[in-house]
């Protein structure tokens, strides 16, 4: 069921792909799936937030404040690679964990925040965050959809970095866990062989698959079996 739901979310993300940027499509879909007032996409390099994209003026302020303060659910989601729930910025537990951000968020009229990390293994690409003007706790469905969207966003961002066409990206939708494990294993080997980061290795594998018009999993299997070595 979750794989079917993941495919549904992926298809929705690629709708109107020629009309809106990837960042805007991710935040628009997050707003719809999570029934949020505002959503944003923050991209990172390692542990440091480097880019804030999509969203609204309010989310830009909230994300920037977290970047400056080094405190908040978005920053924590990226650093810990796990979803973060801030049910109420006036709550005792929340203020103990994120005191600086809770003060700033409350002043801006934000009471609830939910952040989903975009990551795979050691790669931390950023987070999708949702904001509400009232205290908010996610339903199991919200939590599941947010996690799946973050996973779909990871693939979409990597494909975008590799210059993969829309048609090719759509053909790779709905892959199972084993498929993703193959790519990660191959990326680890490419990273070691070429002395590059895991992120760059994953992008290179996608570029190789796209340029040779092969399936991503087939290229990964070829690398794992040592039948293929990517050039530096």
């Amino acid at each position: 069921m979750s794989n079917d739901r993941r495919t549904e979310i992926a298809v929705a993300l690629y709708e109107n792909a020629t009309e809106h940027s990837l960042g805007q499509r991710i935040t628009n879909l997050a707003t719809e799936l999570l029934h949020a007032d505002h959503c944003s996409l923050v991209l990172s390099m390692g542990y440091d937030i480097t880019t804030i994209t999509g969203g609204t003026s309010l989310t830009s302020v909230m994300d920037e404040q977290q970047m400056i303060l080094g405190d908040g659910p978005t920053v924590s989601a990226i650093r810990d690679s796990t979803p973060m729930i801030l049910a109420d910025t006036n709550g005792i537990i929340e203020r103990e964990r994120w005191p600086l951000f809770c003060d700033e968020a409350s002043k801006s009229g934000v009471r609830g925040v939910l952040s989903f990390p975009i990551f795979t293994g050691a790669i931390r690409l950023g987070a999708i965050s949702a904001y509400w003007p009232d205290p908010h706790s996610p339903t199991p469905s919200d939590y599941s959809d947010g996690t799946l969207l973050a996973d779909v966003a990871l693939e979409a961002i990597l494909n975008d970095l590799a210059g993969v066409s829309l048609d090719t990206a759509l053909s790779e939708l709905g892959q199972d866990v084993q498929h993703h494990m193959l790519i990660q294993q191959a990326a680890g080997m490419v990273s070691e062989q070429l002395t590059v980061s895991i992120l760059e290795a994953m992008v290179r594998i996608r570029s190789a698959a796209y340029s040779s018009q092969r399936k991503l999993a087939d290229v990964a299997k070829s690398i794992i079996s040592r039948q293929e070595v990517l050039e530096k």
Side-chain angles (χ1 to χ4, degrees):
M1 176 64 73
S2 63
N3 199 51
D4 291 340
R5 182 57 175 163
R6 183 186 187 281
T7 301
E8 290 177 5
I9 291 173
V11 170
L13 179 61
Y14 281 99
E15 288 180 352
N16 303 317
T18 59
E19 298 177 17
H20 302 288
S21 69
L22 177 58
Q24 195 61 59
R25 284 185 282 126
I26 290 173
T27 55
N28 287 347
L29 185 54
T31 303
E32 177 184 338
L33 292 175
L34 301 174
H35 310 288
D37 288 68
H38 305 272
C39 284
S40 70
L41 170 66
V42 169
L43 299 180
S44 67
M45 188 61 66
Y47 293 102
D48 299 322
I49 295 175
T50 56
T51 306
I52 298 171
T53 182
T56 63
S57 57
L58 183 143
T59 63
S60 293
V61 171
M62 290 295 93
D63 292 335
E64 186 174 358
Q65 284 296 320
Q66 292 184 76
M67 179 173 61
I68 293 171
L69 298 170
D71 178 68
T74 300
V75 173
S76 293
I78 295 172
R79 288 178 175 167
D80 298 342
S81 298
T82 189
M84 292 290 162
I85 300 171
L86 196 168
D88 187 356
T89 54
N90 291 339
I92 296 175
I93 295 176
E94 289 85 350
R95 282 187 168 273
E96 287 181 349
R97 181 163 196 179
W98 298 295
L100 300 176
F101 173 72
C102 283
D103 281 342
E104 294 299 324
S106 293
K107 292 176 185 176
S108 298
V110 171
R111 293 288 300 278
V113 185
L114 181 58
S115 297
F116 294 95
I118 302 172
F119 78 102
T120 179
I123 299 177
R124 296 174 175 85
L125 283 185
I128 298 168
S129 295
Y131 296 88
W132 289 268
D134 300 306
H136 183 86
S137 294
T139 65
S141 178
D142 291 338
Y143 195 89
S144 176
D145 278 353
T147 302
L148 290 173
L149 176 58
D151 185 50
V152 168
L154 168 72
E155 297 295 320
I157 292 168
L158 290 173
N159 283 334
D160 193 56
L161 290 172
V164 174
S165 71
L166 176 61
D167 289 341
T168 300
L170 287 171
S171 71
E172 295 284 346
L173 296 181
Q175 301 297 334
D176 58 18
V177 174
Q178 185 177 8
H179 170 92
H180 297 295
M181 290 177 64
L182 280 173
I183 310 265
Q184 290 183 26
Q185 184 179 350
M189 294 178 65
V190 171
S191 173
E192 185 175 343
Q193 290 165 357
L194 303 184
T195 318
V196 298
S197 68
I198 294 292
L199 173 58
E200 183 174 345
M202 296 190 83
V203 171
R204 290 197 182 202
I205 292 171
R206 280 170 168 73
S207 295
Y210 177 51
S211 62
S212 61
Q213 297 183 334
R214 288 180 293 165
K215 291 184 178 180
L216 190 55
D218 290 342
V219 174
K221 290 176 183 177
S222 182
I223 292 171
I224 293 170
S225 64
R226 301 186 186 282
Q227 295 178 349
E228 182 173 352
V229 177
L230 300 187
E231 297 180 358
K232 291 187 178 182

